[in-house]
Amino acid sequence: MSALAERDITIDSFVDAGAGSLARDVRSGLGRPPGERELQPKYLYDEHGSELFDRITRLPEYYPTRCERAILNRQAPGLVETTGARELVELGSGTASKTRALLYAMAGAGALDRYVPFDVDPSVVENCAHELTDLYPGLPVHGVVGDFQHHLGHVPAGERRLIAFLGSTIGNLLPSERGAFLAGVREMMGPSDRFLLGTDLLKEVGVLEAAYNDREGVTAAFNLNVLRVINRELGADFDLEAFEHVATFDPGPSWVELRLRARSEQRVSIPGADLELTLAPGEEIRTEVSTKFTLDVLARELASAGMELEAFFTDPAGMFGLSLAAPV
Ligand code: SAH
Ligand code: TRP
């Protein structure tokens, strides 16, 4: 039998194949008055966007991935032991590069029953299902291609699950979305499940802003990629050269805001969204927020969602936080 035939991979898809929701979201986000225009971050991640993101995680300025990896490498065996987890569900799994420490610890404890990667980008779910079944022959992988703001109900049922949401992806949700998301996670949890949440922590502004303004311009290319997606999917004619990447920290909401700023007046036609747009010179479109947390805020928000913080780990310098929460 070939190695391929022995793989135990299932992939369910819940994202609509057409550009329907993109068209709706672009219409409602860009159709707003100047100063309020925005796009949703999930559209940054097509295949090219996911590749650029993977490069971001290796940039010298982008400390969160390194710090979170260090925490996971160190804490994974203990986490597996204290939670008694037998299954790993990973929301926004991407390349799952840091998750391997958890899978390794689970396999070492003889407790790796299944891995469930969940991501909006089908290419990363497929790639990671194949890579992980190479690493762990016989590992059942049940991938879900879906939107974690809408499709958590489609995560396969299970027990003793560790539901991981890493990379501070939760920080890319707006506060109201964050509350709804956490409530959704709580709803899918049984008493034996645990939630593992990675969050970037509040720190010196210079360090925060540098992480999103790398010298190589990879973050800028990632940000601009959303315009490329809209051009391709909706037949739009955004000129990528005419926009500048902007990322600044706003202490009010405690987030780094990513925006695209028109260098000059832009007339853009987006036929797939039935939208004609004029942007004034200097006008900005918000593409993403990256919220920076404190332990207090995390404990409070988890509690509001019906979860109790059981443990909180950071790297030695306190840059990044990993929370372990149980349903109450
Ligand atoms: N967990 C990885 C990747 C983080 S990047 C890490 O820590 O490095 C965020 C990931 O979430 C991307 O793979 C992106 O495709 C996915 N994502 C973004 N918005 C999503 C949504 N609404 N639903 C599901 N996945 C989403
Ligand atoms: N969630 C991570 C963060 O907020 C990764 C990320 C999402 C990111 N979008 C980004 C990193 C844009 C750089 C640029 O940091």
Side-chain angles (χ1 to χ4, degrees):
M1 212 195 294
S2 76
L4 208 63
E6 290 162 27
R7 290 184 200 273
D8 184 355
I9 298 177
T10 311
I11 296 183
D12 297 331
S13 183
F14 301 98
V15 292
D16 72 44
S21 59
L22 174 66
R24 268 195 309 281
D25 289 343
V26 165
R27 246 189 93 71
S28 69
L30 293 186
R32 293 190 193 157
E36 292 174 28
R37 300 194 216 266
E38 65 177 12
L39 290 166
Q40 287 187 21
K42 67 181 168 186
Y43 298 118
L44 290 160
Y45 299 92
D46 63 342
E47 202 167 348
H48 182 57
S50 289
E51 275 167 30
L52 286 169
F53 180 74
D54 196 46
R55 282 180 62 197
I56 289 176
T57 64
R58 284 179 270 118
L59 291 168
E61 297 92 339
Y62 194 72
Y63 63 85
T65 306
R66 274 192 305 282
C67 294
E68 189 178 34
R69 189 188 309 282
I71 304 168
L72 281 166
N73 286 347
R74 179 160 184 161
Q75 305 296 343
L79 278 168
V80 170
E81 200 186 314
T82 57
T83 59
R86 302 207 54 99
E87 184 176 328
L88 181 64
V89 176
E90 183 173 17
L91 307 175
S93 45
T95 57
S97 80
K98 286 166 297 190
T99 322
R100 289 168 204 213
L102 290 168
L103 292 170
Y104 185 77
M106 289 168 82
L112 180 54
D113 290 347
R114 179 162 65 167
Y115 176 53
V116 180
F118 182 122
D119 204 285
V120 74
D121 175 3
S123 71
V124 294
V125 175
E126 282 155 24
N127 292 344
C128 116
H130 278 86
E131 279 174 29
L132 289 170
T133 46
D134 277 344
L135 276 175
Y136 299 100
L139 172 68
V141 175
H142 189 142
V144 182
V145 179
D147 182 335
F148 51 56
Q149 295 186 260
H150 297 289
H151 304 128
L152 287 185
H154 295 299
V155 171
E159 281 179 21
R160 295 203 156 275
R161 296 177 299 177
L162 190 57
I163 301 166
F165 193 40
L166 305 178
S168 209
T169 304
I170 194 165
N172 305 127
L173 302 179
L174 297 172
S176 63
E177 297 175 324
R178 203 156 74 215
F181 170 83
L182 288 174
V185 170
R186 173 63 187 88
E187 210 176 294
M188 68 182 264
M189 287 173 90
S192 64
D193 295 329
R194 293 293 178 272
F195 182 46
L196 188 66
L197 178 65
T199 49
D200 196 13
L201 301 177
L202 188 59
K203 60 183 68 63
E204 209 189 308
V205 179
V207 178
L208 291 174
E209 290 188 344
Y212 299 86
N213 289 286
D214 67 282
R215 296 177 57 157
E216 275 183 70
V218 183
T219 309
F222 177 70
N223 195 4
L224 284 161
N225 185 54
V226 74
L227 301 183
R228 193 192 304 273
V229 170
I230 296 171
N231 283 351
R232 185 185 64 225
E233 300 293 328
L234 303 176
D237 58 359
F238 275 106
D239 172 8
L240 271 63
E241 308 272 297
F243 288 85
E244 185 185 357
H245 162 76
V246 182
T248 50
F249 181 68
D250 184 345
S254 189
W255 62 39
V256 172
E257 204 168 294
L258 274 74
R259 299 186 292 267
L260 291 170
R261 180 186 292 155
R263 297 180 196 270
S264 56
E265 185 184 86
Q266 297 298 308
R267 290 170 189 272
V268 186
S269 145
I270 315 176
D274 199 16
L275 192 66
E276 299 289 324
L277 201 62
T278 302
L279 299 172
E283 204 182 313
E284 297 179 336
I285 299 168
R286 180 168 81 188
T287 48
E288 180 139 272
V289 300
S290 180
T291 310
K292 306 305 166 187
F293 296 89
T294 60
L295 176 55
D296 284 357
V297 167
L298 286 166
R300 193 173 65 229
E301 294 197 4
L302 287 165
S304 315
M307 286 185 256
E308 180 188 18
L309 190 62
E310 282 190 330
F312 183 69
F313 309 99
T314 71
D315 51 300
M319 306 275 269
F320 199 91
L322 192 67
S323 303
L324 179 69
V328 285

